[in-house]
Amino acid sequence: MKTKIFFRHVKDSLRSLKRNGWMSVAAVSAVTVTLLLVGIFMALIFNLHHVSEQVENDVQVRVYIEKKTTTKQRDALKTQLEKLDNVKKVTYRSRQQELNTIVGGYGSQWKMFSGDQNPLSDVFMVKTSNPKATIRVSKQAQKLNHVVDASYGGRTAKKLFNSVDSAQKWGLGFTVLLLFVAVFLISNTIRITILSRSDEIRIMRLVGATNSYIRWPFILEGAWTGLFGAVLPIVIVDIGYAVVYRSFSLSSGSNGYSLYGTMPFLLWLDLMLAGIGIIIGALGAVISMRRFLKI
């Protein structure tokens, strides 16, 4: 019996959506625009955070070695670096390897500095177990013998992290505002349904219908509105993300940074958009019922 009543509510809610016509279209359109922007913001923010974590984990301390340092002194320096707190790995790079990296990145004109003309220093690349420890390790390394300087990429990374934090805060605020607009429009749509069915609701009360029996069709109508509004954003976000993912992979495949793979990220994002649509739709219905349906 409960199953039969539930399907009756579903049928009534779909019929009500059709009866409201353009108001239902307006509410679904509002949800569509809202969830499209929410989906774009979510994909952007999550991937910014993902890339920032990769950048953070890629931050290393570059310890520049004095040019007159002997092999024995260099090995001793490596041992000292490895004993520092939070040091995970120490890798040696010769001045020629450093020059080859510059030649590969900036052009063959740098080959003129080969051999004795090479102004670069041998370096130790120090990987820390905790990216936040790079500043402390850098300062400690500068105090060791045969070290010219020690630097790290943390300043650039810190700017990136601050930008990501700002984007998350503004994106979250804008998303909440859009969701409020969608809930408001859905609430108004349900309100019109309640007013148009006021006589029917009054009769249902007289024959003994329970409050939940009267409420459920409206809640389902709101949920349908949110779900239908999520369909187009899901399709657009999935197609758009797949294109952006391929482009990003081709353009930045050599730098070691990557976006979330299309699967299961898109599946998870689709479920979130559908869930948000259903929730804001049902919430809009509940708000409307509390204001205009005194039962």
Side-chain angles (χ1 to χ4, degrees):
M1 180 63 70
K2 290 183 178 180
T3 303
K4 186 177 180 180
I5 292 175
F6 174 76
F7 282 108
R8 182 184 300 167
H9 289 332
V10 171
K11 185 177 180 180
D12 288 343
S13 64
L14 291 172
R15 187 186 299 117
S16 181
L17 274 177
K18 184 178 179 181
R19 185 188 300 128
N20 287 329
W22 287 110
M23 281 300 299
S24 295
V25 171
V28 170
S29 299
V31 176
T32 297
V33 174
T34 299
L35 292 184
L36 178 59
L37 294 174
V38 169
I40 293 172
F41 275 124
M42 288 174 64
L44 177 63
I45 291 171
F46 286 137
N47 277 285
L48 277 175
H49 183 71
H50 182 58
V51 172
S52 70
E53 284 184 334
Q54 296 174 62
V55 172
E56 185 178 25
N57 291 328
D58 198 40
V59 172
Q60 299 185 69
V61 179
R62 297 175 62 87
V63 179
Y64 298 91
I65 308 169
E66 291 179 349
K67 292 185 177 180
K68 295 182 180 180
T69 303
T70 64
T71 302
K72 184 177 180 179
Q73 291 170 332
R74 189 181 68 208
D75 292 341
L77 175 58
K78 182 180 180 181
T79 301
Q80 288 178 302
L81 290 171
E82 290 173 336
K83 290 181 178 180
L84 294 176
D85 293 337
N86 296 304
V87 170
K88 183 178 180 180
K89 183 179 180 181
V90 179
T91 305
Y92 172 74
R93 285 179 58 87
S94 68
R95 54 197 294 219
Q96 186 58 46
Q97 289 176 309
E98 291 288 285
L99 181 62
N100 292 340
T101 300
I102 293 178
V103 171
Y106 296 97
S108 58
Q109 65 269 22
W110 286 85
K111 289 184 178 180
M112 62 182 293
F113 295 107
S114 298
D116 293 337
Q117 300 299 319
N118 188 345
L120 303 177
S121 301
D122 298 333
V123 298
F124 280 122
M125 304 297 296
V126 181
K127 178 74 174 178
T128 60
S129 56
N130 181 2
K132 295 181 180 179
T134 53
I135 299 176
R136 184 168 61 255
V137 170
S138 176
K139 291 180 179 180
Q140 292 174 338
Q142 288 178 347
K143 299 177 182 179
L144 299 177
N145 293 329
H146 310 296
V147 173
V148 177
D149 192 17
S151 63
Y152 66 102
R155 294 179 181 85
T156 301
K158 187 174 181 179
K159 291 181 180 179
L160 175 63
F161 304 149
N162 290 336
S163 299
V164 171
D165 289 340
S166 297
Q168 289 176 331
K169 292 176 182 178
W170 283 102
L172 179 62
F174 190 57
T175 298
V176 170
L177 178 62
L178 289 172
L179 293 177
F180 271 120
V181 172
V183 169
F184 174 76
L185 288 175
I186 293 172
S187 176
N188 281 342
T189 303
I190 302 297
R191 175 194 175 189
I192 292 175
T193 303
I194 293 172
L195 294 177
S196 65
R197 295 177 61 187
S198 58
D199 291 338
E200 180 184 346
I201 293 171
R202 194 174 298 111
I203 294 172
M204 291 171 66
R205 283 173 173 165
L206 292 175
V207 299
T210 63
N211 289 344
S212 61
Y213 185 90
I214 298 174
R215 286 192 182 104
W216 268 109
F218 297 111
I219 295 176
L220 289 173
E221 182 181 344
W224 282 121
T225 301
L227 182 60
F228 291 155
V231 173
L232 188 58
I234 287 174
V235 173
I236 294 175
V237 169
D238 284 3
I239 295 174
Y241 186 81
V243 172
V244 172
Y245 177 78
R246 284 196 297 270
S247 300
F248 187 88
S249 298
L250 291 174
S251 63
S252 62
S254 60
N255 64 17
Y257 304 133
S258 63
L259 303 177
Y260 281 113
T262 53
M263 287 297 167
F265 177 72
L266 285 180
L267 177 60
W268 175 78
L269 187 59
D270 293 347
L271 292 174
M272 283 197 67
L273 289 176
I276 291 173
I278 292 172
I279 290 172
I280 63 174
L283 180 61
V286 170
I287 292 173
S288 185
M289 285 187 296
R290 291 186 62 182
R291 293 176 60 189
F292 304 104
L293 189 59
K294 305 300 182 180
I295 57 175

